[in-house]
Amino acid sequence: MPRKTALDALERFRRDGAWSRQVMTALVKKNGLDARDGALASRMFYGVLQNRTLLDYTVDSFAKGKLEPKVRDILRLGAYQILFMDRVPDHAAVSESVGLCRSLGYARASGLMNAVLRRVMEHKDELPAVPGKGTAQYLSILYSHPLWLVEELMGRRGYDGAEAVLRADNAEPPVYLQVNTLRATPEACAQALGAVPHPTLPGCLLLDGGDFLHTDAFRDGWFYVQDPAARMAVMAGDPRPGESVLDVCAAPGGKSFAAAIAMKNEGRVLARDISGAKLNLVMDGVDRLGLSCVECRAGDAREIDGTERFDLVIADLPCSGLGVIRKKPDIRFREPSELDRLPELQAELLSCVSRAVRPGGRLLYSTCTWRERENEGVADAFLREHPDFIKTSEKTFWPDLDGTDGFYLCRMDRKNEI
């Protein structure tokens, strides 16, 4: 059933382009998988998405002729188990794939399935070489990223830098926890969870696996999950006790939580999001963490008119998400045409939310992408059009260099009125 569930998820994603995490969560529940089988199905599904281009290249090296979509998905699953999952015996990956093929009415393809996967198994230590080493096409196949993305990344980081980012995108993402210092010390939280301190960021812990969501420490609000880059962005905004903070596009709430904790729960944090359903997640976190200074309000950021003014406005705006591919492998399949309108939208939203910054206050613009046109391009255009703001800090985080999500922050301070 785990393999069938993973296959169903691949078909749903291929057919509908549905968000991968939503698809897998629904199918695991529908098929009644326990935690172990659900984890196996999820790993196979996400693993195939993460390595799909390379898997297709390998399969096509041994299979001649056109493959039916579902047969190709089964081959992808089988090849992934052979090449990337040490705990699954190769012969089991072959036999289970053949059985899955037959059970779904593709008995005519079972011989092909057996032959191709056995060749993958026999050549797993010496697979057909990807041609064109030193080119964007080579990196695109080897790391299963679209060619346009690789070319754009090479434009920013060069060939070696791009390869390092792509390799990080395909690595297992770490789990970082931010300690709620209003309720626990980092030392107590680390001991309770078996976590280790982040080497440079105080109050941040690295957790190596485990079901932390069902621990007493989680229920008691000792921590929340957040990448170090996102928390460091909030720290760049410098929220202080007693201040007023507006967090637009706040869901799922990590930046509001970080601001409230830095403010020692003194002052006011208004978490605002256009989605009422997502805002419920923020409210759940606020209650669990005991952050009485945080209030939630649904609303479109474009409706902000400056009636309310804040010491700090956090604008973590909709973006391409290319910095979090290691957590959401399906992001790599987004068409570049989908992303073309983002800088215009970001510029519009940033201009709107800037109205809420009081004279002498701070505006923090951030995204979870490394694309220059969504980051520096948007911030610099905003500054040209709003001379009452000045840039005071700016940084791009990279997964290979900083051990974080790909992330951008730019703090812009509003001049005091004369």
Side-chain angles (χ1 to χ4, degrees), residues 167-186:
R167 186 183 299 115
D169 278 352
N170 285 0
E172 185 72 19
V175 176
Y176 286 108
L177 310 178
Q178 307 300 334
V179 178
N180 178 7
T181 52
L182 303 173
R183 289 196 166 177
T185 64

Side-chain angles (χ1 to χ4, degrees), residues 358-380:
R358 68 162 180 80
R362 291 98 64 200
L363 172 62
L364 181 72
Y365 173 52
S366 62
T367 68
C368 55
T369 187
W370 41 258
R371 294 189 94 198
E372 188 170 10
R373 68 187 70 179
E374 297 180 55
N375 296 341
E376 294 91 340
V378 171
D380 291 346

